[in-house]
């Protein structure tokens, strides 16, 4: 995809139409998008609306507009402002789900490896690695001040001498710091099968090719063990 | 021998139907579950009526007086139809009050059982009953009727009041998809009355669409032009408590402000109209149809809005859907005409 000097994507209108159609064909579309009163209740209850120029009402209106251009304008940044809390879906008098529409659009962005999706997923590459390669989500060695600044002032202390601290936990642990729990190789192989079938590895290849290579090396190792 | 016609419900619709029938020489039996006549306008002491702000007494008081003065209207207060059976082309009804019960045969029947106010406590986001200063339009009608427009929390005059439209209407969460038709006009009317009473008090109306249909639009224009009522487009998403004994309305102004959180002294919820428990009850008892909105269903909404699906049973007023007093009165007359014709034909 090409971008102009402001980082805005330049794409032909046929491509925008393709994205639009992909969203409309999603199996959840009918359930998420009904009519809209343009009442703003969803937006009034939406947490990010208070901090950003972001409105679930606009998301729903754009989606109903049948104008691929309007959907496209949201793909670069707009859809990533949502917290996916689904307050909007809980309070919409029409029972729409603007948050659900955003989920559909995000999944398209991820499946197609859009630059915006890559940028958003970058900080999660370690989580993705642990999850897809080892079936773990967070492991002790992931606790590092750079990655978790929101964990408060003691994160620096918490991230040192991990091996010793883990031994001090008064219940059986793996006594390792790169895994949270031990997943048996047979289970891992099954997981890889599922990831293959569900297209998870393909998505990973689209959004983070170098991470994909690392994961594939591990997968190959486990599979041949 | 004179015809006997049963009218159920003594609100504007039933009162006008009864009076018109009595003028035709019919013996009317009027059954009213309350201990007084006049329906919701009387119960909640409406003081001035839209569209022309005339005293409610001119209309409701007048209707009651006429009905009470007619020699051939038997009013049964605090009573109900406890049993109902078809008898050929006629109807046998048992009229029951606290101390007696009586069976009578009627040539035809008019149902004018009206509506109930939506209970705003059913929609938690508005914090009705949680904060004293969150009231609804029927509460405000009553307060005005009792000459008391002060804040319920501290008895002081309000300085800033919000009206929130479409409470209990046009919302699938509360089960009412329809528009209640009168609440826009009632709110605009009340905002004007408030500004008239307290010129220093600001009035805001939060709306999705202003539906002051037909000539009611005049009031809406007047509210802006002469009373400087603030009209903000956006449905309020939440009401919380604010500093200094205020309530805060939170929402999206979809045209100007974007997100807003505004403090008010008092919030008035424009709660809508519902078919109430009486509509399904009457539907079951008389064997007439209920519609998907919880009101009684006319045989044909356009051709015969005052007829039920059962021959000889007619409908009038807000029991078939939200409407203004003038429409209820008109329907009372239409139902009377039809009930009379049916009775005469089957004499
Ligand atoms: C807040 C508010 C303000 C309004 N202000 C205005 C205004 O300014 N101008 C205007 O034109 N319209 C106004 N309206 C609309 C007006 O209230 C209605 O149009 C009118 O009351 C309808 O009259 P009705 O006789 O059909 O029903 P109701 O007024 O509801 O009367 C029905 C009667 O039937 C009785 N009843 C019910 N069930 C039974 C039963 N099973 N057996 C016996 N009796 C029964 C009830 O007790 C009641 O007395 C307002 C509405 C609201 C909600
Ligand atoms: S799901 Fe997204 S759009 Fe909906 S309320 Fe939450 S943050 Fe806002
Ligand atoms: S709450 Fe629902 S109806 Fe209202 S603007 Fe949002 S999506 Fe539309
Ligand atoms: S009349 Fe106005 S306030 Fe009442 S339901 Fe209709 S639009 Fe909403």
């Amino acid at each position: 995809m090409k971008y102009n000097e402001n980082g805005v994507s330049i794409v032909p209108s046929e491509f925008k139409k393709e994205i639009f159609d992909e969203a409309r064909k999603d199996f959840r579309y009918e359930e998420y998008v009904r009519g809209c009163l343009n009442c703003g209740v969803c937006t009034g209850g939406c947490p990010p609306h208070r901090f950003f120029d972001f409105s679930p009402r606009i998301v729903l209106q754009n989606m109903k507009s049948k104008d691929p251009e309007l959907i496209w304008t949201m793909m670069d940044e707009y859809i990533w402002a949502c917290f996916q809390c689904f307050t909007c879906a809980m309070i919409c008098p029409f029972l729409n789900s603007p948050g659900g529409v955003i989920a559909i659009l995000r999944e398209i962005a991820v499946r197609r490896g859009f630059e915006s999706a890559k940028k958003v997923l970058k900080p999660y590459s370690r989580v993705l690695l642990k999850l897809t390669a080892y079936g773990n989500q967070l492991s002790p060695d992931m606790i590092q001040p750079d990655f978790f600044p929101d964990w408060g002032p003691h994160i620096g202390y918490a991230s040192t001498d991990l091996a010793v601290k883990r031994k001090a936990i008064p219940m059986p642990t793996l006594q390792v710091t790169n895994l949270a729990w031990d997943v048996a190789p047979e289970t891992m192989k099954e997981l890889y099968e599922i990831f293959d079938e569900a297209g998870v590895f393909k998505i990973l290849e689209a959004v983070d090719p170098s991470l994909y290579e690392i994961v594939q090396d591990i997968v190959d190792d486990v599979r041949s063990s | 021998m004179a015809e006997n016609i049963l009218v159920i419900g003594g609100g504007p619709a039933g009162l006008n139907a009864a009076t018109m029938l009595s003028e035709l020489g019919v013996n009317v039996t009027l059954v009213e579950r309350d201990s007084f006549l006049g329906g919701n306008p009387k119960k909640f002491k409406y003081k001035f009526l839209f569209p022309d702000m005339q005293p409610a007494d001119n209309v409701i008081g007048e209707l009651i007086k006429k009905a009470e003065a007619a020699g051939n209207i038997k009013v049964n207060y605090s009573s109900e139809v406890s049993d109902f059976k078809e008898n050929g082309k006629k109807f046998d009804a048992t009229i029951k009050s606290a101390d007696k019960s009586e069976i009578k045969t009627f040539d035809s029947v008019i149902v004018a059982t009206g509506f109930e106010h939506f209970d705003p406590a059913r929609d938690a986001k508005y914090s009705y009953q949680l904060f004293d200063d969150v009231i609804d339009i029927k509460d405000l009608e009553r307060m005005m009727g009792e000459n008391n427009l002060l804040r319920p929390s501290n008895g002081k005059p309000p300085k800033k009041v919000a009206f929130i439209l479409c409470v209990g209407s046009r919302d699938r969460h509360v089960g009412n998809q329809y528009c209640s038709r009168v609440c826009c006009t009632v709110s605009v009317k009340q905002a004007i009355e408030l500004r008239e009473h307290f010129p220093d008090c600001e009035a805001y109306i939060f709306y999705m669409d202003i539906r002051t249909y037909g000539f009611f639009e005049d009031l809406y224009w007047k509210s802006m032009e002469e009373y400087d009522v603030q009209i903000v487009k956006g449905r309020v998403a939440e009401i919380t408590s604010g500093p200094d004994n205020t309530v805060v309305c939170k929402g999206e102004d979809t045209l100007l402000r974007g997100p807003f959180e505004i403090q008010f002294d008092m919030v008035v919820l424009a709660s809508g109209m519902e078919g109430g428990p009486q509509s399904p009850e009457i539907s079951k008892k008389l064997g007439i149809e209920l519609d998907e909105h919880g009101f009684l269903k006319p045989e044909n909404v356009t051709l015969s809005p005052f007829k039920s699906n059962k021959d000889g049973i007619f409908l009038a007023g807000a029991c078939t859907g939200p409407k203004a007093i003038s429409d209820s009165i008109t329907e009372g007359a239409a139902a009377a005409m039809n009930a009379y014709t049916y009775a005469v034909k089957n004499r």
Side-chain angles (χ1 to χ4, degrees), chain B residues 65-78:
Chain B
K65 228 190 287 169
K66 271 196 194 165
E68 282 175 345
N72 49 355
I73 301 179
K74 164 90 181 77
V75 184
N76 298 270
Y77 295 98
S78 308

Side-chain angles (χ1 to χ4, degrees), chain A residues 46-48 54 56 82-88 99 102:
Chain A
C46 170
F54 169 75
C82 164
F83 296 177
Q84 291 285 285
C85 67
F86 290 91
T87 306
C88 52
I102 289 167

Side-chain angles (χ1 to χ4, degrees), chain A residues 34 37-41 43-45 49-50 55 57 89-95, chain B residues 125 170-173 208-209 233-237 250-254 258-259 261:
Chain A
R34 299 169 186 228
L37 298 160
N38 238 327
C39 66
V41 161
T43 306
H49 176 56
R50 304 174 66 183
S55 155
R57 177 180 60 83
M90 275 178 58
I91 57 181
C92 167
F94 230 113
L95 306 189
Chain B
K125 65 177 177 287
R170 308 178 66 196
D171 188 340
R172 283 199 169 122
H173 283 291
M208 280 198 282
D209 308 279
K233 187 162 167 68
R235 199 170 188 166
V236 167
K250 190 175 143 191
E252 182 199 15
D253 178 342
T254 59
E261 278 179 30

Side-chain angles (χ1 to χ4, degrees), chain B residues 40 111 113-118 168-169 175-182 272-284 288-298 301 305 309 315-323 331:
Chain B
N40 273 300
V111 179
T113 46
F115 71 99
E116 292 292 318
H117 296 268
F118 172 80
S169 308
N176 296 336
Q177 200 176 306
Y178 57 86
C179 161
S180 289
R181 263 174 125 194
V182 299
M273 292 162 87
E274 289 191 320
Q278 68 264 39
S279 295
E281 274 167 27
I282 284 283
S283 149
K284 216 168 133 216
I288 56 179
E289 264 186 85
L290 195 72
D291 75 2
E292 72 271 29
H293 306 106
F295 290 84
L296 296 172
K297 188 174 179 165
V301 278
N309 61 312
L315 310 170
C319 63
T320 55
K323 55 183 62 100
E331 284 185 9

Side-chain angles (χ1 to χ4, degrees), chain A residues 49-136:
Chain A
H49 176 56
R50 304 174 66 183
F51 307 106
F52 314 115
D53 176 18
F54 169 75
S55 155
R57 177 180 60 83
I58 301 280
V59 173
L60 206 102
Q61 282 288 322
N62 283 350
M63 195 69 242
K64 277 201 78 64
S65 70
K66 299 203 170 175
D67 185 345
E69 195 61 48
L70 290 179
I71 294 299
W72 186 255
T73 56
M74 302 194 295
M75 295 302 280
D76 281 341
E77 276 190 357
Y78 210 79
I79 54 169
W80 303 104
C82 164
F83 296 177
Q84 291 285 285
C85 67
F86 290 91
T87 306
C88 52
M90 275 178 58
I91 57 181
C92 167
F94 230 113
L95 306 189
N96 296 317
S97 177
V101 170
I102 289 167
I104 292 176
L105 296 176
R106 283 182 174 184
E107 286 168 29
I108 293 174
V110 170
R111 268 202 306 276
R112 289 178 174 259
F114 286 177
E115 215 47 54
S116 64
K118 290 183 184 167
K119 219 165 82 191
V120 169
L121 286 174
K122 198 81 204 155
Y124 296 97
S125 55
R126 283 158 49 89
V127 176
L128 278 174
L129 173 71
K130 292 277 171 186
L131 195 66
T132 47
Y134 301 112
N136 277 242

Side-chain angles (χ1 to χ4, degrees), chain B residues 83-87 90-94 103-106:
Chain B
D83 201 37
F84 190 85
K85 271 200 238 21
E86 282 167 69
N87 174 358
K90 299 181 194 292
F91 306 93
D92 292 338
T94 310
I103 304 182
K104 261 179 104 171
T105 302
F106 296 99

